[in-house]
Amino acid sequence: MAERVFLQVDGLRFSYPECAVLDGLSLAWPAGLALVRGDESSGKTTLLRLLAGELAAQAGRILLQGTGPAETPKAYAQKVFWADPRAGDLDSFTARGWLEGLPTRYPLWDAAALAAHTEGFTLQEHLDKPFYALSTGSKRKVLMAGALASGAPLTLIDEPVGGLDKPSIRYLAQALASEASRQDRLTVVAHYEALADVPRGTVVDLVRP
């Protein structure tokens, strides 16, 4: 039996003024775990931002369980988790304050999962620090703890291992492996290569234009 399509992308096109990035990309992803793989400037983050509805495609269509960012942006946004680890828009928040605000945005929020990920990523000592005071790795761990606990049907994680120590990488692999068998959720990870000890799931390779 063919796997049911969870996220459908048809003919996606996006260009920046200086270069084309995606040209006619089409995907049909089941639930579980997916990897967007490619070198620097191949369009990995751009694709995640398009899937998040943060960027508007110049052509093509995105459908997540029948909902699209162009047609029903508010309904679509409630189904998607995206937090750019490179952005500075969270600097005024403490890690705890940001995490405490997420349940109101995500109806499927899982408090028990947050507690497990907080422990797994050893975040307890960092929760009352503002984001600007966190290291690159600690910031990523906070964002990923929120992402994994959000319960969002589409969860987008960009370059997950940047700045992480080895124990945190091992825990991340375990956490992502547990997402691979989910039937109610798609977790999309963008990275330049497959992560060790993580089921590969669906893979799309992007090539720098």
Side-chain angles (χ1 to χ4, degrees), residues 61-141:
R61 192 180 190 195
I62 298 168
L63 281 179
L64 171 65
Q65 299 177 301
T67 303
E71 298 85 358
T72 52
K74 289 185 179 180
Y76 184 84
Q78 289 185 325
K79 293 184 175 184
V80 181
F81 183 98
W82 164 245
D84 188 344
R86 301 171 187 82
D89 55 335
L90 299 179
D91 283 353
S92 62
F93 292 88
T94 64
R96 188 187 306 276
W98 178 72
L99 290 167
E100 288 177 346
L102 294 180
T104 61
R105 293 173 52 191
Y106 298 102
L108 300 176
W109 177 261
D110 188 337
L114 177 64
H117 297 316
T118 298
E119 180 177 354
F121 283 127
T122 60
L123 286 172
Q124 293 88 342
E125 65 184 279
H126 302 295
L127 291 177
D128 293 310
K129 297 177 182 177
F131 270 91
Y132 69 80
L134 295 175
S135 67
T136 297
S138 293
K139 180 178 180 179
R140 271 186 161 82
K141 289 192 287 186

